[in-house]
């Protein structure tokens, strides 16, 4: 499988496709989750993304389920050295049955405890990529970043990233870490796909932040910064008739983008989902897509995108439709 560095030239070398584990243990049962993880590793994948709150909103969910499922798979398959684990802190509700309004936040005590809890659920002694899941402007950046640096110094975390942060906050955090000699963010994770939403309408899920042109330009200019994209396939809305596009994507530009996607997919003998992923993988800047699946068959379709070559003229056609 195609490989990419995460977090600059000194970061780990990982698969160019990341497996999103959000539904594992809730809407995707353990047997199926194990089968998906087995197939992903068999195909050369090794980057697995989760969080300490997946999926608290599912019926009966607490937020422990995804990490615990991955931990059981790691123990059962003895795959501790074969995968790179990416997990997050900050967005776990502190009151059962609520959402981001009671999120745990990014204070130093929360970060230290959450990291220990994640390590316990995962059954590992180190988190390879640790993300601040949301912003917490009620806590000084120095407190959050100092706590994260402490985890790196203790050997409990390797690479740091921020998710759902405004670009200016990401830059300010990186500058603050540099000024203190701390380990800084070298990964950014935002919502991003080929179709683009109208940001004035708002995204369907609370707390989601979409990658902007400013962020893409920032990542291009920072050689140590890696961009990962969640919701890269819009939860199946590209191809599934039972999944409608969110209201934010209902604008004139969407139609011409979808037409271009379908034409390019037909010419390549590929699926629309594979073309979307190939467009992200080969973009400027290149993106590591996070793909959430609920079956091995869905995973196999996504894996087919890694070897899909987008000729220059077809990529230009997609880009032109995106600008139109």
């Amino acid at each position: 499988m195609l490989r990419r560095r995460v977090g600059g030239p000194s970061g780990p070398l990982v698969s160019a496709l990341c497996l999103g584990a959000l539904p594992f243990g809730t809407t995707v049962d353990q047997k199926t989750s194990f089968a998906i993880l087995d197939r992903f590793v068999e195909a050369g994948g090794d980057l697995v993304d989760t969080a300490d709150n997946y999926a608290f909103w599912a019926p009966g969910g607490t937020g422990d389920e995804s990490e615990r499922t991955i931990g059981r798979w790691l123990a059962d398959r003895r795959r501790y050295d074969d995968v790179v684990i990416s997990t997050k802190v900050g967005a776990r509700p502190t009151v059962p049955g609520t959402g981001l309004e009671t999120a745990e936040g990014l204070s130093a005590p929360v970060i230290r405890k959450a990291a220990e809890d994640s390590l316990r659920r995962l059954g590992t002694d180190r988190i390879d990529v640790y993300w601040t899941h949301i912003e917490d402007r009620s806590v000084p950046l120095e407190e959050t970043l100092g706590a994260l640096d402490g985890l790196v110094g203790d050997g409990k975390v390797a690479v740091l990233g921020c998710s759902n942060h405004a670009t200016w906050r990401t830059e300010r955090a990186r500058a603050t870490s540099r000024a203190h000699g701390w380990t800084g963010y070298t990964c950014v994770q935002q919502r991003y796909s080929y179709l683009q939403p109208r940001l004035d309408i708002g995204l369907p899920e609370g707390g989601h932040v979409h990658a902007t042109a400013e962020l893409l330009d920032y990542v291009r200019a920072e050689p140590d910064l890696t961009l990962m994209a969640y919701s890269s396939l819009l939860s199946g809305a590209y191809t599934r008739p039972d999944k409608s596009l969110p209201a934010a994507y209902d604008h004139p530009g969407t139609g011409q983008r979808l037409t271009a996607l379908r034409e390019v997919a037909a010419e390549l003998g590929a699926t629309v989902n594979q073309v979307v992923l190939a467009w992200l993988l080969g973009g400027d800047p290149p993106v590591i897509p996070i793909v959430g699946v609920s079956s091995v068959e869905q995973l196999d379709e996504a894996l087919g995108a890694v070897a899909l070559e987008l000729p220059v003229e077809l990529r230009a056609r997609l880009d032109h439709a995106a600008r139109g």
Side-chain angles (χ1 to χ4, degrees):
M1 182 181 286
L2 180 68
R3 314 289 285 174
R4 294 271 168 79
R5 290 278 177 196
V6 167
S10 62
L13 191 64
V14 301
S15 55
L17 201 67
C18 176
L19 178 63
L22 182 151
F24 290 1
T26 49
T27 57
V28 176
D29 63 31
Q30 179 169 298
K31 180 180 178 181
T32 305
S33 299
F34 278 27
I36 291 169
L37 286 160
D38 288 341
R39 175 66 184 124
F40 185 62
V41 173
E42 175 188 276
D46 60 4
L47 181 57
V48 179
D49 183 73
T50 183
D52 72 348
N53 72 337
Y54 291 165
F56 73 85
W57 55 89
T62 65
D64 290 356
E65 289 80 10
S66 179
E67 288 185 335
R68 286 193 186 280
T69 301
I70 294 169
R72 286 191 289 267
W73 177 82
L74 289 169
D76 187 77
R77 304 298 200 258
R78 310 304 299 174
R79 288 288 196 176
Y80 296 103
D81 296 327
D82 299 327
V83 292
V84 176
I85 299 296
S86 159
T87 194
K88 309 179 190 75
V89 59
R92 184 182 176 99
T94 56
V95 178
T98 61
L100 290 181
E101 67 273 15
T102 67
E104 60 193 346
L106 298 174
S107 68
V110 163
I111 288 171
R112 287 192 290 265
K113 181 180 184 302
E116 294 293 344
D117 290 345
S118 288
L119 289 167
R120 185 185 69 255
R121 287 189 288 266
L122 291 163
T124 60
D125 58 5
R126 189 179 76 162
I127 297 166
D128 298 298
V129 186
Y130 201 40
W131 305 83
T132 48
H133 202 164
I134 57 174
E135 288 188 24
D136 182 359
R137 299 188 186 184
S138 71
V139 175
L141 270 177
E142 288 81 1
E143 179 178 344
T144 295
L145 300 171
L148 292 170
D149 182 70
L151 293 175
V152 175
D154 291 341
K156 295 177 180 179
V157 169
V159 173
L160 297 174
C162 58
S163 180
N164 298 311
H165 284 47
T167 302
W168 70 267
R169 287 280 292 182
T170 300
E171 165 56 22
R172 180 170 294 181
R174 281 163 54 85
T176 299
S177 292
R178 284 193 299 268
H180 287 83
W182 294 336
T183 302
Y185 294 138
T186 51
C187 295
V188 176
Q189 186 178 142
Q190 306 286 73
R191 184 182 177 116
Y192 187 51
S193 187
Y194 177 66
L195 293 184
Q196 301 293 295
R198 280 183 54 186
L199 298 181
D200 59 313
I201 292 179
L203 296 171
E205 296 88 357
H208 283 204
V209 175
H210 198 280
T212 61
E214 180 185 30
L215 176 63
L216 298 177
D217 186 50
Y218 180 51
V219 172
R220 285 187 202 100
E222 299 290 317
D224 68 332
L225 201 55
T226 301
L227 177 59
M228 293 171 61
Y230 68 84
S231 294
S232 55
L233 296 178
L234 301 181
S235 301
Y238 279 106
T239 57
R240 289 176 53 179
D242 61 320
K243 294 279 189 176
S244 59
L245 285 170
Y249 294 87
D250 185 12
H251 58 79
T254 293
Q256 61 193 28
R257 288 187 186 216
L258 287 174
T259 297
L261 274 177
R262 291 163 183 157
E263 290 175 351
V264 169
E267 290 184 36
L268 293 174
T271 69
V272 166
N273 284 338
Q274 288 170 340
V275 173
V276 170
L277 294 175
W279 182 83
L280 290 168
L281 287 164
D284 178 23
V287 176
I288 296 178
I290 302 169
V291 179
V293 300
S294 56
S295 69
V296 172
E297 291 74 22
Q298 289 177 359
L299 175 61
D300 282 337
E301 179 190 10
L303 290 169
V306 179
L308 181 64
E309 291 288 338
L310 267 184
V312 173
E313 62 274 16
L314 294 187
R315 177 174 289 278
R317 190 190 307 175
L318 291 170
D319 291 344
H320 178 75
R323 293 191 297 268

